[in-house]
Amino acid sequence: MQDLSKDLSKFLDRHIGLNSKDEARILASLGFVDLDDFVSAVVPSEILDEIPPEELLVQGCNEFDALEELYSIAQKNVCKRSLIGLGYHGTHLPTSIQRHVLENPAWYTSYTPYQAEIAQGRLEALFNFQTLISELTGLPIANASLLDEATAAAEAMSLSFALKKKSNANCFLVDQSVLPQTLSVLRTRAEPLGIVLDLVNPCSFELNEQVFGVLFQLPGSNGELWNPSAAILKAHEIGALATVVVDPLVQVLMAPVADFNVDIAVGSAQRLGVPIGFGGPHAAFFATKEKFKRYVPGRLVGQSIDGDGQPALRLALQTREQHIRRDKATSNICTAQVLLAIISSFYAVHHGPDGLKEIAWRISCFRAKFEQYLLHFGYSLEPGARFDTIEINCGEASEIHRLANLDDFNFRVLPLGAKSEEASGVGITFDELSTADELQRVLSIFAKAKNCSIEPLPDISTELCDLLPGIPLRKNSWLQQETFHAYRSETEFMRYIQRLASKDFSLIHGMIPLGSCTMKLNSTNELLPISWKEFTSIHPFAPKEQSSGYRSLISDLENWLAVLTGFAGASLQPNAGSQGELAGLLVIRAWHQSNGQANRNICLIPVSAHGTNPASSVMAGFKVVPIACDQEGNIDLEDLTNKAQSHADNLAALMVTYPSTHGVFEPKIRQICEIVHSYGGQVYLDGANLNAQVG
């Protein structure tokens, strides 16, 4: 009788595409007896594991069982309506985008668009994203997205620092209402570069010759909107660059920040159709003036003319990137949040400027109506213009949070970080998902906390000048390109998406024999759960007990990575390989400092290393010393020894790309580590999709 306990779906065979017969045929053609024979020939014996990692990990299962387990994990997350805000908002992803982009392998399996001739569809979608951001901000140059808003703000700080007019200037002024996650990243990135951060009130701050840049948040974490013109002029008078972190839906209504003469505008495109997803991933944007285009981080899509005289798209100005500039680069980011930027660009195509304005206007109307009732209930509010957020400091805060929890709401707990029962205030942020019925439920909570009833009040003015008093509003037409007006019907929109997809080469067309950490070999089974509400709707600042499923997944992955690397633990904090490099180097730097050796600032990097390696090293506060390599990318041990010896007093680290960019494993990695360790340095291993410090 057939063994029914065997897997009904052979996930491994189907996903990888090779069965045992295929494998044997390929090995025989290469001259190997079996897979062990092949691995022994490829991987140097001194680094080959005696115990394969899979024996230390949990056993695999079939597709059905995997989805069942993921579903049980998802159920541990508690889905409540979060009106917390702080850069993470409820959105509605149009179903046509979900089905034809997010869930379409033509879009999610494409190789990174280095080869323009097989990436014209994605490049056009990214060009649309850049156009959207440029039109929103009024700035002529926008990149094809960055990793997240906080990273984009840090990149703006780095650009400002690189272009400072006074060599001794080292102070960066930051809006005291900046979002907390942005402030954390700014602090991490500033310290190794010797940048001093100073939190200021943007309406009353002092400047001196040490200031090279300022950063303002619109709206701030407290929801306040204001006209930054005077503050920006003040910064420009001493030669400092001005950055504004702006909400894209606010920018739909208010005048473009370029009208205030801002130098750099950054922000998150999460509100443009991308779910909260426990904090990410989300595409950020970065826009600036024409004169700074050679310093813009990440990718830029440009339009040219092909050999037949037709418009063609390509990645532009690559001479500014780190694979060219290496340790002279101002950023280590060589990628973009492509799929999510594409989703946001299609979201803008789907809605057009009028639809985006309608969404932003409705949000502001809900906030204004709520504000009217709060004053009627007797709550005290700070005066000022607001877009979507209100913060209320009141004695009833703890009771409001208790009632909100009973009605399946999460409100912002003030002060940030406090427990709800100890709160002194409440923050409410409205978003695209807000409705009149939901507003009534929220009002009921605040009314009950004051022991008062909800009575009909006069209609509020819905004119923008009244909703956003004192804020310069958008006057001129924008986003008039045909793409953002021509696809209002679902069928026309679907056809446009498919036309772009047909211009790309992805795994639906054939295998992509290019090695890179940007490959998209994700199975359908792995991608299904990302659309489940138990994963999409969880806010990163929701109470911990509401994210047990996420925390379980994170813990499992950290443990598996620790087993695979042989280390005591792993961090999932970096959101890209480049940021993993930086995080690892910062760990090494901190380790030397903890040992009283802050002078150790030399990082040895083989000339065969990824271009991001020297860029990351400089960002971590190190000086780069190159190490010679042979034609296969292997490190020259004599050159390594000589340079480690000559820099022994200040040697901090050696950074090794493993396998090298030539695709080979460094055969003498153990000897290399011993050489570096003997002179007091640490070794950093930069692997494909896995960064680890070799201790």
Side-chain angles (χ1 to χ4, degrees), residues 330-624:
T330 56
S331 169
N332 68 345
I333 293 177
C334 59
T335 187
Q337 200 69 268
V338 173
L339 182 60
L340 299 176
I342 286 172
I343 286 173
S344 290
S345 77
F346 279 127
Y347 179 90
V349 171
H350 174 86
H351 287 290
D354 293 336
L356 294 176
K357 183 177 180 181
E358 174 77 11
I359 293 168
W361 171 80
R362 287 183 71 253
I363 290 171
S364 199
C365 285
F366 281 125
R367 186 271 312 155
K369 193 67 178 177
F370 181 54
E371 194 169 320
Q372 179 193 30
Y373 269 95
L374 287 177
L375 293 171
H376 177 71
F377 293 155
Y379 289 98
S380 178
L381 300 178
E382 291 290 329
R386 304 176 182 89
F387 168 56
D388 60 354
T389 298
I390 302 176
E391 287 191 350
I392 311 103
N393 290 293
C394 58
E396 299 83 3
S398 297
E399 176 65 5
I400 290 171
H401 287 296
R402 187 188 71 82
L403 294 171
N405 183 58
L406 292 175
D407 200 15
D408 289 337
F409 280 110
N410 290 322
F411 297 160
R412 188 186 311 172
V413 179
L414 299 175
L416 293 177
K419 295 181 179 179
S420 59
E421 61 270 20
E422 301 168 350
S424 61
V426 183
I428 301 290
T429 298
F430 296 94
D431 56 39
E432 184 185 1
L433 301 183
S434 298
T435 65
D437 289 342
E438 181 179 85
L439 176 61
Q440 284 299 115
R441 289 171 57 201
V442 174
L443 287 173
S444 296
I445 292 171
F446 280 81
K448 191 171 184 178
K450 280 282 192 182
N451 293 316
C452 58
S453 59
I454 302 177
E455 302 171 356
L457 296 180
D459 290 338
I460 60 169
S461 170
T462 58
E463 295 295 324
L464 280 179
C465 58
D466 296 319
L467 292 171
L468 304 176
I471 304 301
L473 301 176
R474 188 176 286 273
K475 296 178 181 178
N476 299 324
S477 298
W478 65 291
L479 216 59
Q480 293 302 296
Q481 295 81 1
E482 183 183 2
T483 300
F484 298 98
H485 296 267
Y487 308 110
R488 286 295 168 269
S489 76
E490 181 174 332
T491 48
E492 282 298 327
F493 185 54
M494 175 182 66
R495 290 167 188 153
Y496 177 62
I497 293 173
Q498 298 304 331
R499 279 201 300 275
L500 294 196
S502 68
K503 297 178 182 180
D504 272 18
F505 188 90
S506 70
L507 288 181
I508 70 170
H509 302 99
M511 178 49 72
I512 306 169
L514 298 171
S516 172
C517 56
T518 54
M519 292 299 291
K520 306 298 189 300
L521 196 62
N522 297 309
S523 71
T524 307
N525 212 52
E526 291 170 306
L527 289 166
L528 277 177
I530 69 171
S531 296
W532 295 350
K533 67 176 182 179
E534 292 84 359
F535 288 130
T536 62
S537 65
I538 307 300
H539 195 287
F541 293 123
K544 286 187 176 181
E545 60 270 19
Q546 295 180 22
S547 57
S548 297
Y550 262 118
R551 295 178 191 280
S552 173
L553 286 173
I554 291 169
S555 177
D556 283 346
L557 185 52
E558 287 176 340
N559 291 334
W560 294 337
L561 288 173
V563 168
L564 286 167
T565 60
F567 287 100
S571 169
L572 303 181
Q573 185 179 19
N575 56 0
S578 58
Q579 304 312 293
E581 293 174 13
L582 179 59
L585 290 168
L586 290 176
V587 168
I588 292 175
R589 183 173 183 272
W591 185 80
H592 286 307
Q593 290 177 333
S594 71
N595 291 325
Q597 295 183 314
N599 57 292
R600 291 190 173 273
N601 66 343
I602 299 296
C603 185
L604 308 177
I605 298 182
V607 294
S608 64
H610 286 298
T612 57
N613 290 176
S616 296
S617 183
V618 171
M619 290 170 62
F622 293 131
K623 295 180 181 178
V624 174

Side-chain angles (χ1 to χ4, degrees), residues 298-321:
R299 293 178 180 162
L300 288 171
V301 179
Q303 190 173 62
S304 298
I305 301 298
D306 67 14
D308 297 323
Q310 298 299 313
L313 298 155
R314 86 284 189 224
L315 294 179
L317 292 174
Q318 292 192 65
T319 52
R320 75 207 150 76
E321 291 193 29

Side-chain angles (χ1 to χ4, degrees), residues 39-70:
V39 171
S40 296
V42 173
V43 182
S45 59
E46 69 171 17
I47 63 169
L48 188 61
D49 273 346
E50 294 181 6
I51 304 175
E54 57 262 31
E55 294 184 11
L56 303 176
L57 299 174
V58 296
Q59 294 301 306
C61 59
N62 63 39
E63 290 188 9
F64 177 79
D65 290 339
L67 279 177
E68 285 291 294
E69 183 177 351
L70 278 169

